[in-house]
Amino acid sequence: MKRRDETQPPDPGAKRAKTEAGPKVKYYHKNGLRHVQPYEHSFETWVKGRWVGRQILEVFVKEFKMHNAEYYQGALDAGKITVDGKAVTAERVLKDGQRVRHTTVRHEPPVRGGDIKIVQQAGDLVVVDKPSSVPVHPCGQYHYNTVTGILMQEQGMEALHTVHRLDRLTSGILVLATTKPAAARFQEEMSKGEVRKKYVARVKGRFPAATEDGSQVTVSQSVRCANYRSSVHECHIDGKPATTNFELMHYNRSDDTSVVRCFPLSGRTHQIRLHLQWLGFPIKNDPCYGGSVTDDGECELGSPRGEAADRFDNTTVIGDMTTQDGQGDLHSLGIWLHAYFYEASKWKFEIELPDWAVPLKDNAA
């Protein structure tokens, strides 16, 4: 199975370089999904060391595969790609210290429709119930179709600071801060282990019940990043220490899945997903760590083809957690992992469990 949990950056600077703030964008809803009206956007980046001495067209074709050579040739001819503010030919050899700029019409992938539900807004904290498929902040191909982007565009909440991580495919409690000092305070509580978190997941197979003494299932396996470009992680002895406790809620005989409470004692990237995979009970619809993008397990995530405009605009929802784009490729709209409880000494946030965590009718045991 192709591990394609996150989309790759479409252009220079998408990950690290600062991008210009774009104009106010328009959203539209189609087929149950939220879309961003395509908009003009400019990416800028300094010439990387590995680009020095290479022709600019070759660099774009090999480094940024969102478009083909024909597109980049046309962009250079039209002056949409510049070096130090000047139009250049495809044969221009790049030098150290130069600034490359690419102006293009940006197409963002669609996400789940509906508003971002605000659970609580008090003082300098904003707590929301994040839908699956929506990234927390700009990353890769997502800029405005993000939690912070939607709240800024639709509710005027500017300069929100993220204080903890919640994967794009994961749903549930997300805490944001309106000031940097508030974000720092919350992050300090997290780093000291003062925040108690509870998640719920639906996994393959019959998860073991508690031991005779009532103990939970505990996994202590270090986690590290295996591939930075695709953001794939793994359990590895050279990683950072990570511990998660698990507790069976119920077993569904009809589809051989278990709903499990998860209690992460650390906050490593993809920790819960990896620890469930390590136990042999991966989240059933997690395409990156042992599950599949569709319930029947017969389909895989496809590589995008064709023009972004047609591919994204014609995306439809297949079932509850899968979309099919305009080129027929399947993509995960979310996984069965939900953060429903966060608590510290002076505050507590709790939201309802999702529908998929409820016992299946006439099949719970």
Side-chain angles (χ1 to χ4, degrees), residues 62-117:
K62 292 185 177 180
E63 297 275 346
F64 310 107
K65 299 180 181 179
M66 190 63 187
H67 301 290
N68 57 28
E70 183 180 2
Y71 167 84
Y72 286 126
Q73 179 67 66
L76 285 161
D77 293 342
K80 296 293 186 180
I81 297 177
T82 61
V83 176
D84 291 335
K86 298 179 180 179
V88 296
T89 65
E91 293 76 27
R92 170 61 64 91
V93 175
L94 295 174
K95 299 178 181 179
D96 188 27
Q98 291 180 322
R99 188 78 170 168
V100 178
R101 180 185 180 98
H102 178 202
T103 300
T104 184
V105 174
R106 195 171 192 179
H107 300 267
E108 297 194 23
V111 299
R112 283 190 183 276
D115 297 329
I116 302 295
K117 181 181 178 181

Side-chain angles (χ1 to χ4, degrees), residues 251-326:
Y251 172 68
N252 296 308
R253 286 193 297 264
S254 62
D255 68 348
D256 189 31
T257 61
S258 299
V259 175
V260 180
R261 284 193 180 91
C262 315
F263 308 92
L265 304 184
S266 47
R268 309 304 179 196
T269 302
H270 298 178
Q271 171 180 321
I272 295 174
R273 299 162 68 181
L274 285 164
H275 284 176
L276 285 168
Q277 182 189 39
W278 185 87
L279 280 172
F281 298 94
I283 296 172
K284 186 173 181 181
N285 59 0
D286 187 342
C288 199
Y289 300 113
S292 56
V293 73
T294 55
D295 290 350
D296 57 20
E298 295 178 356
C299 297
E300 296 184 353
L301 284 172
S303 298
R305 303 186 302 273
E307 293 299 321
D310 296 332
R311 189 172 80 250
F312 294 153
D313 186 63
N314 293 322
T315 297
T316 57
V317 178
I318 308 297
D320 294 328
M321 292 290 195
T322 307
T323 60
Q324 186 173 36
D325 65 27

Side-chain angles (χ1 to χ4, degrees), residues 15-308:
K15 278 190 174 182
R16 296 184 180 88
K18 182 179 179 181
T19 59
E20 293 182 357
K24 185 173 180 64
V25 300
K26 294 182 179 180
Y27 295 102
Y28 67 96
H29 295 263
K30 182 179 179 180
N31 298 326
L33 299 170
R34 175 191 289 269
H35 296 256
V36 178
Q37 194 73 35
Y39 55 92
E40 188 172 273
H41 191 81
S42 294
F43 299 88
E44 288 190 6
T45 186
W46 296 105
V47 169
K48 314 297 183 186
R50 64 180 180 276
W51 301 354
V52 174
R54 296 165 59 188
Q55 294 183 354
I56 191 168
L57 178 60
E58 178 214 350
V59 169
F60 269 81
V61 171
K62 292 185 177 180
E63 297 275 346
F64 310 107
K65 299 180 181 179
M66 190 63 187
H67 301 290
N68 57 28
E70 183 180 2
Y71 167 84
Y72 286 126
Q73 179 67 66
L76 285 161
D77 293 342
K80 296 293 186 180
I81 297 177
T82 61
V83 176
D84 291 335
K86 298 179 180 179
V88 296
T89 65
E91 293 76 27
R92 170 61 64 91
V93 175
L94 295 174
K95 299 178 181 179
D96 188 27
Q98 291 180 322
R99 188 78 170 168
V100 178
R101 180 185 180 98
H102 178 202
T103 300
T104 184
V105 174
R106 195 171 192 179
H107 300 267
E108 297 194 23
V111 299
R112 283 190 183 276
D115 297 329
I116 302 295
K117 181 181 178 181
I118 297 178
V119 177
Q120 185 173 332
Q121 186 173 358
D124 43 19
L125 290 182
V126 178
V127 183
V128 303
D129 184 354
K130 187 188 89 67
S132 63
S133 81
V134 185
V136 174
H137 52 71
C139 59
Q141 289 179 277
Y142 300 88
H143 190 79
Y144 293 106
N145 243 353
T146 61
V147 173
T148 55
I150 294 169
L151 291 177
M152 178 183 68
Q153 292 285 322
E154 294 191 340
Q155 301 197 37
M157 294 185 181
E158 298 183 4
L160 289 175
H161 301 271
T162 56
V163 297
H164 68 105
R165 179 184 178 86
L166 200 61
D167 297 333
R168 180 176 68 86
L169 297 180
T170 303
S171 60
I173 289 176
L174 175 69
V175 182
L176 303 165
T178 58
T179 65
K180 286 185 178 180
R185 289 197 304 271
F186 190 91
Q187 288 169 342
E188 184 177 9
E189 287 183 299
M190 296 279 286
S191 64
K192 291 181 177 179
E194 297 174 355
V195 178
R196 293 171 292 282
K197 299 169 284 184
K198 298 179 184 179
Y199 289 65
V200 63
R202 188 165 159 191
V203 303
K204 287 183 179 181
R206 186 161 197 153
F207 197 84
T211 59
E212 293 182 359
D213 62 0
S215 300
Q216 298 170 329
V217 176
T218 299
V219 176
S220 293
Q221 289 290 319
S222 298
V223 171
R224 72 172 186 179
C225 185
N227 187 314
Y228 285 98
R229 186 169 181 81
S230 60
S231 191
V232 172
H233 290 66
E234 64 181 354
C235 291
H236 196 279
I237 192 172
D238 293 333
K240 295 180 180 179
T243 299
T244 312
N245 293 329
F246 298 99
E247 177 181 274
L248 175 67
M249 291 179 65
H250 59 261
Y251 172 68
N252 296 308
R253 286 193 297 264
S254 62
D255 68 348
D256 189 31
T257 61
S258 299
V259 175
V260 180
R261 284 193 180 91
C262 315
F263 308 92
L265 304 184
S266 47
R268 309 304 179 196
T269 302
H270 298 178
Q271 171 180 321
I272 295 174
R273 299 162 68 181
L274 285 164
H275 284 176
L276 285 168
Q277 182 189 39
W278 185 87
L279 280 172
F281 298 94
I283 296 172
K284 186 173 181 181
N285 59 0
D286 187 342
C288 199
Y289 300 113
S292 56
V293 73
T294 55
D295 290 350
D296 57 20
E298 295 178 356
C299 297
E300 296 184 353
L301 284 172
S303 298
R305 303 186 302 273
E307 293 299 321

